[in-house]
Amino acid sequence: QKEVEQDPGPLSVPEGAIVSLNCTYSNSAFQYFMWYRQYSRKGPELLMYTYSSGNKEDGRFTAQVDKSSKYISLFIRDSQPSDSATYLCAMKGQGAQKLVFGQGTRLTINP
Amino acid sequence: DVKVTQSSRYLVKRTGEKVFLECVQDMDHENMFWYRQDPGLGLRLIYFSYDVKMKEKGDIPEGYSVSREKKERFSLILESASTNQTSMYLCASSSSGSGNQPQHFGDGTRLSIL
């Protein structure tokens, strides 16, 4: 079993929809959680960075962490075609330098 | 903004060649990383470095080596390239200051070994 599980999709939704992307993990030592967005032929770009449990909001994006369930989510409100990309979750423990990545979910927003 | 620059976007080499991939960051980050990204396998860590001349093996170091002679530069070396090393290679850096800083990535080098 992988340490981090992420449905690779692909996920296709209409413009304006609310998108929910999720990852589950097995290592209870993980405390720092990230979401990266990767456009085609580009490197991953840091989108959200959260510590421990709770919510963090940045514009149309909300990151949610539920450590009791070992489950993290990224919500995209009012989705736009420009949000079409692969979304990668990543996480690590306190003091660790190495990140553990999910496989990435490929998202397409249809105009 | 953090800038991580990889010297080549696309590279084509032949089997058995020695290949150098270069990465430079401009934020004085202590930590630098090399990953490869393959469909269905995600990102896999090859090597990382937390200081000049220091290196640590990642999850898939076989067939690779690294060099970090200066803080801003981290090189990945394929000693004798093979076709199974055809992949997208991503470099990343992060700061050790204030603990637990996220990694920032370059745009990758798409390497084909013929």
Side-chain angles (χ1 to χ4, degrees):
Chain A
Q1 185 187 1
K2 294 180 182 177
E3 268 191 298
V4 178
E5 298 276 1
Q6 183 177 9
D7 187 340
L11 181 62
S12 182
V13 301
E15 183 176 355
I18 296 174
V19 177
S20 171
L21 303 168
N22 311 294
C23 289
T24 59
Y25 63 95
S26 57
N27 189 341
S28 58
F30 289 150
Q31 295 190 42
Y32 296 87
F33 304 91
M34 284 137 272
W35 285 96
Y36 287 86
R37 177 176 63 194
Q38 186 175 20
Y39 291 117
S40 181
R41 299 187 187 86
K42 301 283 276 184
E45 167 195 13
L46 182 66
L47 201 56
M48 301 288 277
Y49 179 47
T50 55
Y51 167 68
S52 195
S53 284
N55 292 359
K56 183 176 182 179
E57 190 173 320
D58 184 0
R60 297 183 295 109
F61 299 89
T62 300
Q64 209 169 69
V65 176
D66 182 350
K67 289 191 71 183
S68 62
S69 301
K70 297 190 180 70
Y71 189 87
I72 69 170
S73 301
L74 177 70
F75 297 97
I76 307 174
R77 290 185 301 281
D78 187 25
S79 56
Q80 304 293 311
S82 58
D83 295 327
S84 298
T86 296
Y87 289 80
L88 299 149
C89 66
M91 49 198 79
K92 70 187 190 82
Q94 175 73 30
Q97 298 301 336
K98 290 170 59 173
L99 287 177
V100 182
F101 284 87
Q103 196 176 330
T105 299
R106 191 169 168 188
L107 173 67
T108 301
I109 309 297
N110 300 302
Chain B
D1 273 357
V2 177
K3 184 74 172 175
V4 179
T5 303
Q6 294 184 232
S7 55
S8 305
R9 293 297 305 275
Y10 302 94
L11 210 52
V12 180
K13 296 292 182 180
R14 296 208 173 272
T15 304
E17 279 192 71
K18 191 169 186 176
V19 181
F20 293 85
L21 303 183
E22 306 287 343
C23 175
V24 176
Q25 50 93 4
D26 67 356
M27 286 301 293
D28 202 35
H29 283 170
E30 292 80 11
N31 308 310
M32 296 188 75
F33 307 82
W34 275 107
Y35 295 87
R36 61 179 285 177
Q37 185 176 30
D38 300 286
L41 296 176
L43 272 81
R44 292 180 290 168
L45 181 64
I46 304 170
Y47 267 98
F48 67 102
S49 168
Y50 52 88
D51 202 352
V52 175
K53 297 192 186 295
M54 305 301 288
K55 61 184 179 183
E56 292 278 345
K57 292 181 180 179
D59 301 316
I60 51 162
E62 296 78 21
Y64 303 94
S65 62
V66 291
S67 171
R68 192 159 180 209
E69 296 296 319
K70 293 184 178 182
K71 191 175 185 180
E72 67 271 17
R73 186 179 297 269
F74 192 34
S75 302
L76 179 70
I77 304 154
L78 285 66
E79 298 291 344
S80 177
S82 64
T83 55
N84 63 11
Q85 292 178 310
T86 290
S87 186
M88 171 74 138
Y89 289 88
L90 290 162
C91 175
S93 72
S94 70
S95 171
S96 291
S98 305
N100 302 301
Q101 296 302 305
Q103 293 179 22
H104 299 270
F105 285 83
D107 275 338
T109 295
R110 190 167 293 278
L111 175 65
S112 295
I113 307 296
L114 304 178

